[in-house]
């Protein structure tokens, strides 16, 4: 009989570094790639792999996230499958989740109900494809208490990641350190390190024991990566899973092994730009391993007018259903549903979320515009960054970010 597996998705993140995109929503609920939300990527990976008992632990400004999961992610109840959001329930006392480990501690009832042999614990705010079955199989074969997914990164970048240091066998984790400046390279690649992807597979007994012990430690931060994994490393029960060994159906040499932590405005923007190359770094058009999401009944995108320079066109861009490009030019951009770009406007290198409207003769460059932002006629965004900084958020790399429904001054 196959081992029983329960998937827990940690989706309570506040996402402060993504402000203003997270002013009104949890980080996993932030729209991405025109048609999706961040949480759809981890849920699609789990669903494609056949793991169909999934709980999503939520906390911070979770309404839009809860609604999206409830309306979009419906499994066959006949087969006992489900994807369900679980908010903080204060089962252990009158307090909210104090960290990701505490979120699991307060949700032990979910594990007791299912009685799984193994528990997948994945984050909800990374952009990637992965077949979790291969990681689970590797975990079972190893006999470890926990297996941590690691992605190879240059040794010179070790101070930007949670670093997994392994023994001579290349599998057993001997240290788990946060952003070290003296990291040691891998046995088979001295110029590389393993960066933690925040994805774990636990033997159920090891998870319950470690989390319960952590709950008794009043000095702990109650964090999966900062508390639970180091505990199991110290006990010699932690192994690494090399992400480069994961073979996703339909992947190409160019997008194989892609994983991006979109924790900042610049990384969020860069991940969008990865989508729109002729040969994309991250390929949304892999139909062998689809990314699922809600598909509202919008009409196809429309491009209208062809008179002189008043030609509706989009080049090097992704345009979603319900969008209207009217006598304007859109370049190198991601256009979400129900966006309208009016005549003689020019959009270049932008992420336009649902319901954005760009007025006539307006210019938008290197910008992220959240839902329902209206750019008045003749307005310029991303042209004069000093002027933009006085009114909007501008990232370290000069990306102008305008929050949901924020008023744009002419």
């Amino acid at each position: 009989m196959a081992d029983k597996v329960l998937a827990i998705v940690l989706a309570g993140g506040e996402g402060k570094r993504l402000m203003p995109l997270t002013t009104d929503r949890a980080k996993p609920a932030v729209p991405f790639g025109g048609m999706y939300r961040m949480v759809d990527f981890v849920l699609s990976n789990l669903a494609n792999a056949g793991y169909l008992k999934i709980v999503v632990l939520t906390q911070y400004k979770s309404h839009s996230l809860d609604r999206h999961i409830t309306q979009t992610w419906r499994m066959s109840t006949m087969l006992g499958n489900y994807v369900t959001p679980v908010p903080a329930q204060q089962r252990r006392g009158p307090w909210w989740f104090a960290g990701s480990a505490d979120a699991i501690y307060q949700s032990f009832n979910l594990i007791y109900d299912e009685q799984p042999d193994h528990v997948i614990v994945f984050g909800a705010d990374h952009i990637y494809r992965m077949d979790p079955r291969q990681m689970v199989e590797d975990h079972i074969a190893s006999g470890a208490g926990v297996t941590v997914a690691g992605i190879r990164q240059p040794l010179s970048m070790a101070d930007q990641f949670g670093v997994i240091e392994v023994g001579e066998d290349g599998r057993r984790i001997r240290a788990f350190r946060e952003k070290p400046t003296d990291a040691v390279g891998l046995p088979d690649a001295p110029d590389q390190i393993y960066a933690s992807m925040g994805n774990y597979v636990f033997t159920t007994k090891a998870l319950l024991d470690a989390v319960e012990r952590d709950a008794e430690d009043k000095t702990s931060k109650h964090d999966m990566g900062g508390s639970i994994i180091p505990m199991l490393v110290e006990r010699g029960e932690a192994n690494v899973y090399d992400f480069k060994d994961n073979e996703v159906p339909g992947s190409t040499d160019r997008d194989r092994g892609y994983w991006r932590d979109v924790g900042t405005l610049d990384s969020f923007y860069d991940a969008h730009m990865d989508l729109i190359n002729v040969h994309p770094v991250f390929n949304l058009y892999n139909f062998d391993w689809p990314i699922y999401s809600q598909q509202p009944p919008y009409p196809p995108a429309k491009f209208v007018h062809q008179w002189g320079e008043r030609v509706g066109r989009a080049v090097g861009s992704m345009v979603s259903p319900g969008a209207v490009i009217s006598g304007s030019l859109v370049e190198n951009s991601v256009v979400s549903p129900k966006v309208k770009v009016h005549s003689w406007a020019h959009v270049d290198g932008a992420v336009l979320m649902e319901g954005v409207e760009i007025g006539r003769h307006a210019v938008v460059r290197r910008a992220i515009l959240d839902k329902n932002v209206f750019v008045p006629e003749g307005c310029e965004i991303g042209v004069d960054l000093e002027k933009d900084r006085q009114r909007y958020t501008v990232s370290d790399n000069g990306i102008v970010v305008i929050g949901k429904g924020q008023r744009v001054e002419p």
Side-chain angles (χ1 to χ4, degrees), residues 84-382:
T84 184
V86 180
Q89 302 176 74
Q90 299 191 354
R91 284 179 172 269
R92 300 282 181 169
W95 53 78
W96 304 113
F97 297 151
S100 53
D102 184 55
I104 292 177
Y105 179 64
Q106 292 197 42
S107 304
F108 270 7
N109 62 298
L110 305 173
I111 301 173
Y112 295 148
D113 288 347
E114 285 297 337
Q115 292 292 304
D117 300 299
H118 305 281
V119 180
I120 294 172
V121 179
F122 279 13
D125 47 16
H126 299 140
I127 306 302
Y128 67 112
R129 276 190 177 90
M130 178 184 189
D131 182 353
R133 288 172 300 194
Q134 297 167 35
M135 184 175 173
V136 171
E137 290 166 1
D138 183 87
H139 169 76
I140 294 172
S142 73
V146 64
T147 298
V148 183
I151 184 168
R152 292 173 181 248
Q153 297 289 340
L155 177 63
S156 61
M157 297 176 62
D159 60 356
Q160 301 179 34
F161 299 102
V163 172
I164 302 165
E165 296 184 355
V166 294
E168 290 301 318
D169 64 355
R171 297 293 309 281
R172 189 69 64 179
I173 302 175
R174 64 179 181 83
F176 190 93
R177 299 196 292 157
E178 189 67 29
K179 299 180 179 179
T181 57
D182 58 346
V184 178
L186 300 176
D188 64 345
D191 60 339
Q192 296 179 352
I193 51 96
Y194 281 129
S196 173
M197 297 170 61
N199 288 355
Y200 317 108
V201 177
F202 289 89
T203 300
T204 301
K205 183 178 183 302
L207 175 64
L208 294 176
D209 177 67
V211 170
E212 194 154 23
R213 286 174 180 268
D214 177 72
E216 296 170 357
D217 181 359
K218 303 306 180 184
T219 65
S220 173
K221 294 182 179 179
H222 307 300
D223 180 72
M224 292 301 295
S227 308
I228 302 302
I229 303 305
M231 182 192 303
L232 291 171
V233 167
E234 187 175 342
R235 287 157 54 172
E237 298 181 29
N239 268 20
V240 68
Y241 174 75
D242 193 340
F243 185 49
K244 76 175 179 59
D245 295 334
N246 197 262
E247 293 290 336
V248 174
S251 63
T252 65
D253 290 340
R254 183 161 173 77
D255 75 339
R256 182 176 289 110
Y258 181 94
W259 176 84
R260 191 182 280 274
D261 180 355
V262 286
T264 67
L265 292 170
D266 286 322
S267 62
F268 180 83
Y269 177 84
D270 291 343
H272 276 88
M273 297 301 104
D274 288 341
L275 304 176
I276 58 177
N277 292 327
V278 174
H279 301 292
V281 182
F282 184 68
N283 182 21
L284 286 176
Y285 299 88
N286 177 358
F287 299 111
D288 293 331
W289 196 269
I291 305 300
Y292 299 104
S293 191
Q294 186 179 30
Q295 304 291 334
Y298 296 143
K302 184 166 68 170
F303 302 79
V304 294
H305 295 307
Q306 187 173 359
W307 176 71
E309 294 184 359
R310 191 185 181 196
V311 180
R313 60 210 190 276
V315 181
S317 300
M318 296 172 60
V319 182
S320 303
V324 178
I325 312 299
S326 174
S328 53
L329 174 59
V330 175
E331 299 180 279
N332 311 310
S333 297
V334 176
V335 179
S336 300
K338 296 172 63 179
V339 167
K340 295 180 180 178
V341 186
H342 292 280
S343 294
W344 298 288
H346 185 195
V347 175
D348 187 6
V351 178
L352 307 181
M353 296 190 187
E354 186 171 331
V356 166
E357 187 168 352
I358 310 296
R360 290 184 169 205
H361 300 283
V363 176
V364 179
R365 295 177 183 165
R366 286 173 52 81
I368 302 169
L369 275 56
D370 205 340
K371 285 186 173 183
N372 302 322
V373 169
F374 173 70
V375 179
E377 181 173 348
C379 186
E380 294 184 341
I381 295 171

Side-chain angles (χ1 to χ4, degrees), residues 75-89:
M75 300 294 187
S76 171
T77 56
M78 181 184 297
L79 301 177
N81 302 325
Y82 56 85
V83 179
T84 184
V86 180
Q89 302 176 74

